[in-house]
Amino acid sequence: ILFKKNTTMKKVLLLAVLAFLTLSTQAQFIIGGSIGASIINDNSEYDGQLRADSMKERVFSFDLRGGYQLNDRLQVGLMVGYKYGDTLNHYSGADMYTESANELAKYNTFKLAAYGRYTCIKFKKFGVFAELQAGMNKSKGTVHIAMLDDPSLDQDLDKGKTTELFAKIIPGLSYQLTDKVSIDLNLGFLGFGYSHKQVKKMVSEKEDIHNSSKFGMDLRTGGLSIMDFMQDVTFGVNIAL
């Protein structure tokens, strides 16, 4: 019986490999990448006085991908990505800190994911697509607090390491420049999906672990500026080989 089960498994695996090789020979290989960046400047006002006086946030991201165009609508493949962000908050001493301070938070994130893109609507050279991404993000963050009135009180804080598992659907627009080259616009702020985050950091010489999950849309609300939405928008190029 065990021999028959092993034989059956080998046949299934062989058929899967043959199917993949058949699709690979018939499909078109695609390489591409995308990039995104945003800068946000904001002044917060409370009771007529500037409190957390100013905030400046910068975000830069890019990803590289390779996959197969199985037909004129379906593309599958793998992607790797990197994202950097920093936020500088200035406090005059009337709010979070008793003295004037600059608080600089930084993070670096690396991404590995599989993706499948389906073009739902095609009109001449234009297309509307939905892209499913499933993978993992690994990030690390730090915070430096500079006390402007007394530098001896400066602090460096470790925000810990974050591991995120995610599956999400991101809509986008595409335009076919030539038979081999297309450009696209990924609207990440309209994404819908699930993510689970685990944050590990040292607290009082002990490792503290915090888990959180999120399901739903990534749509930003609350009267934010267009630059807030640009954090989740990327511009990409795909080339058929």
Side-chain angles (χ1 to χ4, degrees):
I1 296 175
L2 182 60
F3 176 77
K4 290 183 178 180
K5 287 184 177 179
N6 288 336
T7 303
T8 303
M9 287 298 296
K10 289 179 180 179
K11 289 181 179 179
V12 172
L13 290 174
L14 180 59
L15 289 174
V17 172
L18 289 175
F20 176 77
L21 292 175
T22 300
L23 288 173
S24 298
T25 55
Q26 295 178 350
Q28 200 168 29
F29 187 65
I30 302 288
I31 60 171
S34 60
I35 188 171
S38 69
I39 299 177
I40 301 172
N41 290 288
D42 182 37
N43 289 324
S44 300
E45 188 169 336
Y46 180 75
D47 289 341
Q49 298 179 354
L50 288 175
R51 301 293 294 273
D53 307 279
S54 63
M55 182 273 285
K56 182 176 182 179
E57 183 175 10
R58 302 180 300 177
V59 177
F60 169 77
S61 66
F62 73 88
D63 67 58
L64 302 173
R65 60 177 65 199
Y68 288 98
Q69 190 73 41
L70 301 181
N71 53 48
D72 63 341
R73 291 182 180 269
L74 182 61
Q75 181 185 137
V76 296
L78 296 174
M79 61 192 304
V80 294
Y82 171 75
K83 185 175 185 179
Y84 168 82
D86 62 48
T87 303
L88 177 63
N89 289 307
H90 174 71
Y91 297 92
S92 64
D95 192 15
M96 181 174 289
Y97 301 104
T98 57
E99 300 177 0
S100 297
N102 284 337
E103 181 184 77
L104 177 61
K106 299 181 180 180
Y107 68 86
N108 294 276
T109 302
F110 296 90
K111 177 172 74 173
L112 175 63
Y115 75 91
R117 173 183 293 189
Y118 183 76
T119 301
C120 313
I121 301 173
K122 296 187 72 174
F123 178 72
K124 296 183 179 180
K125 293 186 176 183
F126 292 93
V128 178
F129 63 83
E131 182 171 290
L132 171 64
Q133 296 182 9
M136 178 176 64
N137 290 325
K138 299 278 288 187
S139 62
K140 180 175 175 59
T142 60
V143 176
H144 176 72
I145 302 173
M147 307 302 294
L148 303 182
D149 297 327
D150 188 353
S152 65
L153 299 177
D154 288 3
Q155 300 180 54
D156 287 297
L157 306 177
D158 184 4
K159 299 297 288 184
K161 298 178 180 179
T162 301
T163 300
E164 178 185 20
L165 301 177
F166 66 87
K168 58 185 176 181
I169 297 176
I170 300 173
L173 308 172
S174 64
Y175 181 79
Q176 197 73 35
L177 291 176
T178 69
D179 291 339
K180 298 289 186 179
V181 181
S182 65
I183 58 175
D184 53 51
L185 181 67
N186 297 276
L187 306 176
F189 62 89
L190 292 176
F192 180 90
Y194 171 82
S195 68
H196 176 80
K197 288 185 179 181
Q198 182 181 84
V199 181
K200 294 182 179 181
K201 61 182 179 179
M202 299 302 294
V203 178
S204 300
E205 299 184 353
K206 292 183 179 181
E207 185 178 60
D208 179 69
I209 300 177
H210 176 72
N211 292 282
S212 63
S213 298
K214 178 183 177 182
F215 178 77
M217 292 192 68
D218 290 334
L219 182 62
R220 296 170 179 266
T221 57
L224 300 178
S225 69
I226 189 172
M227 292 306 296
D228 289 280
F229 293 94
M230 290 300 292
Q231 291 186 40
D232 299 314
V233 174
T234 60
F235 302 87
V237 177
N238 295 294
I239 303 173
L241 301 180

